[in-house]
Amino acid sequence: METEQYPKLYLYRRIVQAKLFIDRHYAEPIDLAQIADEACFSRFHFSRLFKSAYGKTPHHYLTKVRLDNAQRLLAQGVAVTQVCFSVGFDSSTSFAALFKKHFGVSPSAYQARQLEKRSSFAANPLRAVPNCFAETHGWKKSNIR
Amino acid sequence: MITKVTHMCVYVLNQDSAYDFYVNKLGFKVHTDVPMGPDSRWLTVTPPEQPELEITLFPVKEGNMFDAETVGTMTDLVKKGTFGAAVFTCEDLMATYEELKGKGVEFKKAPTKEFYGYEALFKDDSGNWFSLSQLDTEK
């Protein structure tokens, strides 16, 4: 059934492997052309199939994975410059520009907002929870700290 | 006028294991993870491209909400796959199916052609099942 519906299953497997490679190695300098070569695709064919499966070219997907991980590290309080290099960007200027283009806010402003949210939740965890859930659980300011 | 869903609940048997499943296998993002006292935790995740919808991973455990009998009943029901919790969509079902299967996600139904596109069914680590669809209009 599966192979009748998806006669090119082996192609899917190669594309999935390429995606997983990006997920694992996004922080390193990744040569997307090399991934296409290793998967035995022409670069154009690889890019087209990848986009068909994931809605983004391999390059755009790699950028997105790096930016998503940058968000995660910024929310943990890691310094902006350190975040930039540890997710695989090699220029803090282009990192800041891409981040703002993607999320509509600069890395430092995003970090400030996340850290403020975190300290607000630490001061009063009930701020994180819709009241109906807090009441159902019996969570009150007096018994959750 | 009701405008949007902001939170939905999935009853899970273990929050740590659910965290691993939803974040590390499905690729969801952690929205909020806050301890509520020594024994409780408010944990919500969002689908990668839908940051405004918080899925609350609600533990089935004895407390204010569930008494011991209800915990037993709920645990049995969740484990045996009684509850279908949501329908997710993806850009390409076969690629997503291959990836999730490779990560150890259990499927009750392989990708199958339906009148609206393709659908597969998978289970989370507790037993809740989800539909994963690729709608014809998305390709």
Side-chain angles (χ1 to χ4, degrees), chain B residues 17-87:
Chain B
S17 152
Y19 180 106
D20 181 57
F21 182 86
Y22 284 83
V23 176
N24 299 328
K25 290 190 174 164
L26 297 190
F28 284 23
K29 293 182 178 175
V30 177
H31 185 283
T32 306
D33 188 2
V34 179
M36 303 303 262
D39 305 317
S40 298
R41 173 183 184 190
W42 178 251
L43 174 61
T44 72
V45 295
T46 67
E49 311 259 328
Q50 199 174 9
E52 71 283 5
L53 174 62
E54 290 181 66
I55 299 175
T56 306
L57 302 176
F58 230 87
V60 177
K61 65 178 200 179
E62 199 176 336
N64 239 59
M65 190 161 166
F66 299 127
D67 59 25
E69 188 187 349
T70 309
V71 168
T73 308
M74 283 287 291
T75 301
D76 288 344
L77 290 171
V78 170
K79 264 188 193 166
K80 72 184 205 186
T82 308
F83 302 118
V87 177

Side-chain angles (χ1 to χ4, degrees), chain A residues 20 24 27 65-66 80 85 100 106-107 119 135 137 141:
Chain A
L20 292 175
R24 281 194 300 269
V65 172
R66 286 176 169 165
V80 174
F85 296 114
K100 183 154 191 184
S106 71
S119 63
E135 280 189 2
H137 280 82
K141 217 170 177 178

Side-chain angles (χ1 to χ4, degrees), chain B:
Chain B
M1 180 176 76
I2 293 173
T3 53
K4 284 183 179 175
V5 177
T6 61
H7 291 73
M8 57 173 276
C9 291
V10 175
Y11 292 106
V12 299
L13 301 182
N14 179 304
Q15 274 182 316
D16 291 336
S17 152
Y19 180 106
D20 181 57
F21 182 86
Y22 284 83
V23 176
N24 299 328
K25 290 190 174 164
L26 297 190
F28 284 23
K29 293 182 178 175
V30 177
H31 185 283
T32 306
D33 188 2
V34 179
M36 303 303 262
D39 305 317
S40 298
R41 173 183 184 190
W42 178 251
L43 174 61
T44 72
V45 295
T46 67
E49 311 259 328
Q50 199 174 9
E52 71 283 5
L53 174 62
E54 290 181 66
I55 299 175
T56 306
L57 302 176
F58 230 87
V60 177
K61 65 178 200 179
E62 199 176 336
N64 239 59
M65 190 161 166
F66 299 127
D67 59 25
E69 188 187 349
T70 309
V71 168
T73 308
M74 283 287 291
T75 301
D76 288 344
L77 290 171
V78 170
K79 264 188 193 166
K80 72 184 205 186
T82 308
F83 302 118
V87 177
F88 296 125
T89 62
C90 58
E91 200 75 41
D92 186 300
L93 181 55
M94 199 58 197
T96 309
Y97 171 73
E98 282 296 316
E99 178 180 340
L100 296 182
K101 222 170 46 150
K103 289 179 175 174
V105 174
E106 186 186 338
F107 279 80
K108 337 183 348 168
K109 177 182 165 189
T112 305
K113 180 82 182 117
E114 303 293 350
F115 67 90
Y116 50 82
Y118 289 93
E119 182 193 51
L121 298 179
F122 70 86
K123 286 165 63 172
D124 73 4
D125 59 305
S126 295
N128 301 293
W129 58 267
F130 296 87
S131 166
L132 178 59
S133 298
Q134 174 193 319
L135 305 179
D136 280 339
T137 50
E138 291 187 354
K139 289 296 278 184

Side-chain angles (χ1 to χ4, degrees), chain A residues 2-20:
Chain A
E2 282 173 44
T3 47
E4 280 170 25
Q5 289 173 7
Y6 293 98
K8 294 182 178 171
L9 189 56
Y10 69 98
L11 290 181
Y12 275 96
R13 294 203 168 127
R14 287 190 201 166
I15 290 297
V16 169
Q17 287 311 311
K19 188 253 187 196
L20 292 175

Side-chain angles (χ1 to χ4, degrees), chain A residues 63-78:
Chain A
T63 302
K64 183 186 179 305
V65 172
R66 286 176 169 165
L67 290 173
D68 285 348
N69 279 284
Q71 259 194 332
R72 181 177 56 77
L73 293 174
L74 288 167
Q76 290 170 8
V78 180

Side-chain angles (χ1 to χ4, degrees), chain A residues 7-42:
Chain A
K8 294 182 178 171
L9 189 56
Y10 69 98
L11 290 181
Y12 275 96
R13 294 203 168 127
R14 287 190 201 166
I15 290 297
V16 169
Q17 287 311 311
K19 188 253 187 196
L20 292 175
F21 182 87
I22 293 173
D23 288 346
R24 281 194 300 269
H25 298 283
Y26 67 86
E28 300 159 23
I30 291 185
D31 181 353
L32 293 171
Q34 189 190 345
I35 298 177
D37 291 346
E38 281 171 8
C40 305
F41 288 126
S42 76

